[in-house]
Amino acid sequence: MSITHLLFWFLTVLALGSALMVIFSKNPVHSILWLIGTFFAISGHYILLNAQFLAIVNIIVYAGAIMVLFLFVVMLMNLNTSAIPVKNKWLGFAGVISGGCLLLVLTAALKDTAVMRNDVQMNTGDIGLIHNLGMVLFKDYVLPFEVSSVLFLSAMVGAMIIGKKDTNETS
Amino acid sequence: MAAIILAAIWGVVMMFSGLYIKNKAMAKYIAVTGILVLLLVNALEYYNIWRIDFDVRGLQKFTAFGTVFNTIAFGATLLYFLLNGKEFEEVGKDVFDYYALIFFSLCGVTLVSSFNSLLMLFLGIELISIPMYILAGSDKRNLKSNEASLKYFLMGAFSTGIMLMGIAFLYGATGSFYVGAPNTPGMEPMVAIGMVFLLIAIAFKVSAAPFHFWTPDVYDGTPTVFTSYMATVVKVASFIGFLKLFDGAFGKSHGEWQLLVAILTAATLFIGNITAVFQQSVKRMLAYSSIAQAGFMLLSVFSLNTFGREGLIIYAAAYSIASIGSFAVLIKLKDHSIEGFNGLAKSHPFLALMNVVFLLSLTGIPATAGFFAKYYVLMGAIKSGQHLWLVIFAVLMAAVSAYYYFRVIQAMYFKEGTPEVKPVSGAYKTTLWVAAVLIILIGLFPSVLTKALYA
Amino acid sequence: MSNLVYLVPLFPLIGFLINGLARNSLSKGMTSVIGSGVILASFVVSILLFLQVKEGNAVTVTLFDFINTGKLSIPFSFQVDQLSSIFLLVITGVGFLIHLYSTAYMHEESNAHFARYFAYLNLFVFSMLLLVMGGNYLIMFIGWEGVGLCSYLLIGYWFKNNDYSNAAKKAFIMNRIGDFGFLLALFWMIQHFGSLTFGEVFARADGMNMNDTVLVGITLLLFLGATGKSAQIPLYTWLPDAMAGPTPVSALIHAATMVTAGIYMIARSNILYTLAPVTQGVVAVIGLATAILAATIALKQNDIKKVLAYSTVSQLGYMFLGLGVGAYTGAVFHVMTHAFFKALLFLGAGSVIHAMHHEQDIRNMGGLKKHLPVTHWTFLIGCIAIAGIPPLSGFFSKDEILAAAFSANVVYWVIGVLGAVMTAFYMFRLYATTFLGKFRGTHEQEHHLHESPAAMTWPLIILAVLSVVAGFVGIPAVLGGSHELQQFLAPVFAGSVKLQEAHHLDHATEYILMGASVGAAALAILYAVSRFSKKPDLEEASGFGKLLQNKWYVDELYDAVIVKPLRGMSAFLNNVVEKLGIDGAVNGVGKLVHYGARQLRLLQSGQVGIYLLMMVIAAFVLFIIQLFVK
Amino acid sequence: MDPKDVLITFPELLLWFPLISGLIAFTLKNGNSAKNWAVTSSFISLAIAVTSLFFMDSGKYFNLNNVSYYWMPSIGSSFALKYDGMARLLVMLNAVAFPLVFLSTYKQNYKNPNSFYGLMLLTQAGLAGVFCAMDALVFYFFWELALIPVYFLSSIWGGERRIQATFKFFVYTFAGSLLLLVGIIYVYLRTPEQSFSLNAFMQASIPAVQGKFIFWLFFIAFAIKMPIFPFHTWQPDAYEQSPTGVTMILSGVMVKMGIYAVIRWLIPVFPAQTAAFADLIIWLSVIGMLYASFLAWQQNDLKRLIAYSSIAHIGLMCAAIFARNESGLDGVMVQMFNHGVNVIALWIVVELIERNYGTRKISELGGLAATAPTLTVFLVVAALANIALPLTNAFIGEFLMFNGLFEYGKAVTAIALVSIILAAVYTLNMIQKVFYGEANMSLAGVGAPVLGKGAITALAVIVVIIFAAGVYPRPMLELTQDSVNLFFNKLKGL
Amino acid sequence: MTIQHYIFLAVALFSIGVIGVLTRRNIIIIFMCIELMLNAVNLLLVAFSKMHSLAATAADAASKAGTEGQIFVFFIMVVAAAEVSVGLAIIVMMYRNTHSVDVNFLNRLKH
């Protein structure tokens, strides 16, 4: 039981636990906080896998930007009081069941295939380092990079169109 | 390549011209210019006269198939702009931005029509979808529009997640994102899982039952002018992606998943056609009919052979033109229920006649493009030799489809009434006429399209 | 002479066309001249032909290929031989007289209708000529259907009266039932003999052995046709109703010519029948049964024409009996004589009706003797002739048949004679009630009573003469005659005669038979005259009489057993099977789709949660199918 | 004439001419000019059809009667028309029918006539295409195209229940033809060199089991069109609701499409399967004959009565075809033409009655013979032809067909023959109720029957045809001989 | 660690996300659950990339195999960010009109 294993199991429990809390905590704000927790756990996993770049980006983009945005919206609508109950019993129940079934099917399909035994390169290897990724990203992946910029552009335009108050609507 | 770049650039152009040009009417002309430019560069590329080329590391692969499809998509969009310029202005004040978004989505379309890597497929589909989320909600004060956009967005994002899971599994199995990577005869579980995830995600995009639920609501809630675009260009683009993906990635293991597609097809045909029968609103009816048509297009994926591919191209053209035309007529009417069409033949014989052509084409009557569209995909399906029952089922459903398309014709020609119709310009009429002529031409000589694939 | 042949049917056809097309512009005079003239013309031609045939040269003339496909080739050809030439004479001759008679009888009709009447009559003669001249069964069938059509048209001549048109319809449909058999027989012949031409068919049939199934089948089917046309059991009921038509029509079609088509046809195909004794038995029994049944009914009829109609049926029965026992000559002979005296009787009746202003019930007549002398005497002759009193024609022909019947089977003879006696009885009941005693009609009827015009009386007289003398062409050997008719017809029946075992009665027996029948008939006559000239039975019949008067309720029986069930069935098919069953199924599909639509759209609940749930479930199912089912 | 310098072939002429003149008719705004245009055009077509009869010798005038150029080489479909005997016969029927229809309905004033006559001429073109097509795809093309104008004609100018009735008719036949389409594609994919030509279809190697299945795809489509029991229920409604002019085309020419298709496209392509199912189909048809006759007996609407009676006739034709012998097929050939002409005559009379007396209900009519003798004569002649009285044209056909059927089976023929009795029953019933008896004075136009010259001419012509073809049928029989021989050569596997 | 640990972890997270989407009514939380699904995918991709790189480096130490996996994760994050911006805008718009974030609040469009 090496340290890596311990860390792996710890982070896994953390991730799953806080993920469950996300969906079961009544109060949206709590959900958000738990989600952030999950993200940290996942970032931990990244570090464990020696993918520092992604670990950092994950913290910055997700836990940092996105989640704050969520928090901001929730506060804006001041939904911090546990406003909405879970939807009607059997529907929630059905949701859990079907979700669980999906999990079962996948695991059942995968559990005894040869691939599963493959080892994963832990906390070594330099592909996850920013230097390497940067090279690849700007050499081989220029096109998608540009495309994603266009994507952002459209998202931005959209956010503006949707978000901004129409002048005629004030009148 | 040039088309991709230009589409993106023109989107930006539209945005900025929005800042400086106050006259909304201008937007239409700029957009039309843009489309014409796109068509031009596309043609140049097709005939190898001039093309932008730089090493994309094999992320994209430009084929005649893709280019021909681009032409169809741009052409359809051109018709669409020409027919709906007025309505753009009625939706809201950000006219230029609407056009910009449509150009961005066109950029996505061009990506999807030529992707060679799952990454590009993913980006392309996102680039198509995100503008649509917004356009769906562009009529901000209208709760229906809000609802449409919300539903579209939530379910769209969900399906994105599913698609990514699929891609991840394929990557895990093959160690590469290139389309050809998993293309091997057998199918190990991990690939199978990835395939099913992808299938679900794309089935959602092309609104194949039982992943179609968003379609009627979204199409219904979205401002009609944008529904017309969503239901045509976007949908057929997703189909091209679908076909290219399953052709490239799982072509060799066709037999493994044909049954799944068969089931999806049957379900789509059934739900689309049967449910459309009862609709009172023509807009919603067209939404369901678009599901039904998707069922037929699925046949091409199901058969995955030459006829299927040619069929999908013809279908893309026939379906897009006919639907855009039909929507363009619908949009001119105040009342979107079937009764709204009563007596149209008397008050506006031209509109009625054109609409008849489009509806006949959608039904698949010979001498209209719709016939050969259906004809080719059926031929493909029969050729594939599997599941003949599916074909029989399909044609019976086509017979059902006659039922609801002809209800509109009956309303226009055989019922008395005085429909309120917005004023229609001469240009509008001309464009409509051109669309109808195109339908007939393809209906008489489909070879023009099919031949182009092999030039 | 072959160039003459086609003239025979041509003349009436021309007459038909002229009278038919120009009926609105022709005067009655013109119509009569054309109508009767054409018949006279073809009568003349027929005589020429007859003489030619008598010389011994029968001919077959082919006009053109009618149907000619692959194996099957049917020419449009005429055959004039001994048999057909006799019929030609009878048809055109009697036909002419009746046309003549009609010119006066139908005079009250308007021009157009008058012309229409003659058009029909000419058309009838045309078809009848086709029937007897046809060189093959198909041409015969054409005429066969043609005469049926004409009888339909003529019975329904006064179309305003629904009973009349009903009678016409009945006649046509019953004939169609007969044609059903006839056609089947034709197809069978084509299949088996590969031809319909008389010569070839008979030649190929000759070799076949007795009672071959094919032959029996064909002959029975042909006979079915005959029962329809010649009013035999079970298809006889139309003939009495057919009296709805104008009386000359009854005389021509329903007594002299058309109804004898069946006899002609069987006589024509005598080989086939001789080769199928089974069928012959059937023919004989049916004929006899019809003869006796009709006779019984005739006993109690009070409508002058109905009595004659039933007597016709009964006489036809005798002819079939004759055919059945192989006395083809006798049958043809009786056809001829019967044509004369029955036409005479009908025309006489017509003259009476004419005088009585369309009164047909003999209970309102009586004592017409002094008012209508010519009619009276000719009618009397007719009665004696039909009653079979020597030396009038009826005696010879009927006696020949009875003799043959006796040698075939004594029972036939006994019943035959019984029928003959009845015939004598009801004919003279009719005669006495009509002409003897005192007048019972209304006063103005009596006041208007007068002898008919010459155009009507002359035909009567001629026919009377013929009914007297016609018998002499067939005086049997036993009476020292040398049956010319038999010799004349010999070539036609040669084949059959060769096959039949020659049965010969010694003269003693023959005398006894003649004596018996004639005596019985004479007694019946005396009784009838003595009884009905004094007090005719005017009161409604009762008991058994009622049964007879109502024709054994056969019509009612048919109606209850056949017509009503069929109507019911068709109504059922229309209202239940079609509307609910088949069409219901078709519309049901539509309804189903609608219902499905209404249910399916509820799936579209509008709640994202449910949509997503369904997606996930569907995904789950797809995974199961992909990963585990396959 | 030298094969080289053929400008245009007869089949093309007979196809394009009505098409173009139909399109022109649409543009004619003035109602009367449209009407006259249509009449003229129909007569020109007739003239062409008649002229074509003088260029029959397939050896000498091959290039005049056959045409074929590539349409979609990629999938081996070429625009091939052939003008053989059967095609001639039916095109002739088509060419004869339309002038008759236009003449007889000349008095009738339809609302916006230009579209009415335009659509009519389009229908004529479509039918001509169906009858000449030698390429399955072309055939299917016209098969559908002929349907669309008729749909509009019936739905726009029809009776009060027209929309449902014609819609049922449309969807029913459309479903059928879609099945046909599947069948065609299936066979096509199994043709030697992937071609749609009839010959290729005849050589297609169709596996036994699927063959049975595909056979039914074809047959059902044709059976619906004919229609034979139990696929007939669209017909009475459609006939009843369509304007009589259209009904004439529907029952006179269109139903022949089904029969024609069976002879040309079904049996030669599926000889084995035909042999397997002949019994079933023949019995079906025969049952249908009796069934329809019984129903005709019950009808109170003249149009429905004629509809059912024609179902009965079609049933006989179908049975005779599947008896698969020469006599039967010859009968069918002549009967296709003759039935077309006769039934048109019946419709014309119905049309006149309806126009003069304002009703088609047998129960409301009566005694017309007194008031309208001419009409009566015509109807009686037509009716007698309808029940196949000798020396009328229908007799030849029915005689040959029954004869052919008899070769196939005695019992079935006996049963089928019952229908001639039933035919007499319902026809005479109708004649009696409508024409005989006392005139029904409640009728609107009693005593004042208006027979247009056009109608009289049309009827007179038909009567002439009836007797001419009835007395001297040989030309017609010889006309179709080549098609018949081809048919049997195929069956014999030559 | 072997790959299966990561696969099961990722699939578990993914399923939890799905369950969340199915069970909650608050749009924002549904949206968050979707993000959770995406993260599951990211984790899986990284794990795979490391798996492949291990396999590749075994053969050739200098191999950069597996990089594309992590690049892909990067793009997923990009797209996710874009989606979030649009999505939140839509949610805000809806809230502005209805003052509710209940996903079932809006169901005018049905049948």
Side-chain angles (χ1 to χ4, degrees), chain C residues 136-148:
Chain C
N136 59 49
Y137 279 100
L138 189 60
I139 307 302
M140 182 196 267
F141 181 75
I142 293 174
W144 187 270
E145 286 257 330
V147 291

Side-chain angles (χ1 to χ4, degrees), chain C residues 159 166 169 570 578 583, chain D residues 168 291 298 308 429 432 437:
Chain C
F159 51 77
N166 276 332
K169 202 170 72 187
S570 70
E578 176 82 350
D583 203 17
Chain D
K168 178 176 174 184
Y291 178 80
Q298 285 291 311
Y308 279 110
N429 253 333
Q432 180 188 16

Side-chain angles (χ1 to χ4, degrees), chain C residues 11-217:
Chain C
F11 285 121
L13 184 58
I14 294 169
F16 159 69
L17 290 176
I18 297 174
N19 283 332
L21 297 176
R23 66 183 185 288
N24 293 324
S25 43
L26 285 175
S27 73
K28 284 186 193 152
M30 280 301 299
T31 313
S32 331
V33 172
I34 297 165
S36 329
V38 290
I39 307 298
L40 185 58
S42 49
F43 178 57
V44 175
V45 179
S46 316
I47 294 175
L48 296 177
L49 290 176
F50 176 75
L51 298 176
Q52 295 284 348
V53 175
K54 214 158 169 26
E55 301 302 317
N57 41 14
V59 289
T60 309
V61 185
T62 301
L63 297 183
F64 54 84
D65 268 3
F66 186 45
I67 293 177
N68 188 350
T69 80
K71 311 191 261 339
L72 178 62
S73 158
I74 303 172
F76 200 104
S77 63
F78 293 144
Q79 175 176 17
V80 179
D81 66 352
Q82 294 77 3
L83 187 58
S84 39
S85 60
I86 293 219
F87 275 84
L88 285 185
L89 286 178
V90 174
I91 294 160
T92 49
V94 178
F96 169 66
L97 292 176
I98 291 172
H99 276 70
L100 190 60
Y101 179 96
S102 307
T103 54
Y105 187 85
M106 302 299 288
H107 213 274
E108 302 132 14
E109 295 293 324
S110 73
N111 279 0
H113 287 303
F114 191 73
R116 181 164 64 93
Y117 173 83
F118 275 95
Y120 290 165
L121 224 48
N122 291 342
L123 180 60
F124 167 77
V125 175
F126 166 72
S127 328
M128 194 67 207
L129 291 172
L130 277 189
L131 197 163
V132 294
M133 291 173 73
N136 59 49
Y137 279 100
L138 189 60
I139 307 302
M140 182 196 267
F141 181 75
I142 293 174
W144 187 270
E145 286 257 330
V147 291
L149 169 66
C150 298
S151 104
Y152 164 76
L153 293 170
L154 283 163
I155 297 168
Y157 174 74
W158 286 302
F159 51 77
K160 286 215 165 121
N161 180 330
N162 251 329
D163 304 346
Y164 290 6
S165 47
N166 276 332
K169 202 170 72 187
K170 186 175 180 183
F172 193 89
I173 288 167
M174 287 209 153
N175 275 303
R176 269 261 157 167
I177 299 174
D179 303 339
F180 164 82
F182 200 124
L183 269 174
L184 274 178
L186 293 195
F187 300 138
W188 208 336
M189 286 193 214
I190 293 175
Q191 191 184 36
H192 198 270
F193 302 119
S195 162
L196 287 179
T197 312
F198 295 133
E200 300 173 9
V201 172
F202 300 151
R204 288 172 200 162
D206 219 348
M208 301 173 67
N209 43 6
M210 286 273 177
N211 281 338
D212 183 309
T213 338
V214 180
L215 282 176
V216 176

Side-chain angles (χ1 to χ4, degrees), chain B residues 126 140 146-147 171 284, chain E residues 52 68 83 97 108 111:
Chain B
E126 282 305 309
K140 285 183 276 182
N146 291 351
E147 179 180 356
Y171 176 66
R284 205 168 168 81
Chain E
H52 290 305
E68 65 275 33
E83 268 191 348
N97 293 334
R108 282 168 183 63
H111 304 327

Side-chain angles (χ1 to χ4, degrees), chain C residues 587-605:
Chain C
N587 298 335
V589 173
K591 287 203 183 67
L592 196 67
V593 169
H594 254 266
Y595 176 79
R598 231 182 284 109
Q599 298 313 310
L600 265 180
R601 51 196 270 285
L602 299 183
L603 220 61
Q604 200 72 25
S605 61

Side-chain angles (χ1 to χ4, degrees), chain A residues 113 115, chain B residues 172-174 184 186-194, chain C residues 627:
Chain A
T113 51
V115 192
Chain B
T174 64
T184 52
M187 219 180 214
E188 59 192 73
M190 225 187 236
V191 178
I193 292 175
Chain C
L627 298 172

Side-chain angles (χ1 to χ4, degrees), chain B residues 172-187:
Chain B
T174 64
S176 151
F177 290 108
Y178 286 103
V179 169
N183 194 2
T184 52
M187 219 180 214

